[in-house]
Amino acid sequence: MILRIEKIGLSLKAEDELLNKLLESGKAHYPKEFGGFLMGYYSEDNQCLHITDTILPKKYQASKYSFERSTKGVEKEFTEFYSGNPRKVYVGEWHTHPDSSPIPSTTDISAINTIINNKNTCIPNPVLLIIGYSQTTEDFGFYVWFENKLYKYD
């Protein structure tokens, strides 16, 4: 899958195999939300993000309408990605919206702001993937925080 936001000149690539893995991980926790970390790398010109992997949290709290993950217990996995070739880094978050659409809630936008304002986070444009699904539909909503605004990839 290749998506682009013409207005700001950014594109995103993610393999269907990864997206299916995320969807299945989310569905395994139905009816609660579930999610994790997105890992990947940027093109040399920083215009294209390649999302390649996920790290699933070891500790989290979830309900039908919320998901909050912890970084405890996944430090080794992050280190392995950071030292690999190509060097992959944390690029954002993903989570599900069971029986709902992939539209960011107020809580989702607040979470992105928390990431941006965290001194330990070194990414200026975090990505948010929301997977909305029901028994008959599946929809992936990719968003990026760019210059203090949330944009949707088309």
Side-chain angles (χ1 to χ4, degrees), residues 33-52:
E33 288 190 6
F34 185 69
F37 306 92
L38 293 173
M39 305 299 290
Y41 62 93
Y42 290 90
S43 60
E44 286 186 28
D45 63 3
N46 285 329
Q47 297 299 301
C48 184
L49 171 62
H50 300 261
I51 299 175
T52 59

Side-chain angles (χ1 to χ4, degrees), residues 44-141:
E44 286 186 28
D45 63 3
N46 285 329
Q47 297 299 301
C48 184
L49 171 62
H50 300 261
I51 299 175
T52 59
D53 299 277
T54 185
I55 295 176
L56 300 179
K58 304 283 189 245
K59 298 180 184 225
Y60 59 89
Q61 292 182 345
S63 74
K64 173 91 173 134
Y65 302 106
S66 69
F67 175 77
E68 187 176 335
R69 53 96 186 131
S70 171
T71 57
K72 292 187 188 300
V74 294
E75 297 86 350
K76 181 179 176 187
E77 292 175 74
F78 275 101
T79 301
E80 288 172 4
F81 279 112
Y82 291 158
S83 61
N85 190 10
R87 182 177 178 265
K88 296 177 184 177
V89 296
Y90 166 79
V91 296
E93 305 278 328
W94 73 273
H95 71 275
T96 60
H97 281 181
D99 298 317
S100 191
S101 60
I103 297 170
S105 66
T106 306
T107 303
D108 295 334
I109 293 168
S110 175
I112 285 286
N113 280 313
T114 300
I115 292 166
I116 298 268
N117 294 318
N118 184 327
K119 293 175 181 135
N120 295 324
T121 304
C122 300
I123 55 171
N125 307 108
V127 171
L128 172 64
L129 166 59
I130 300 173
I131 304 171
Y133 69 91
S134 67
Q135 289 185 8
T136 57
T137 63
E138 300 166 352
D139 196 8
F140 295 84

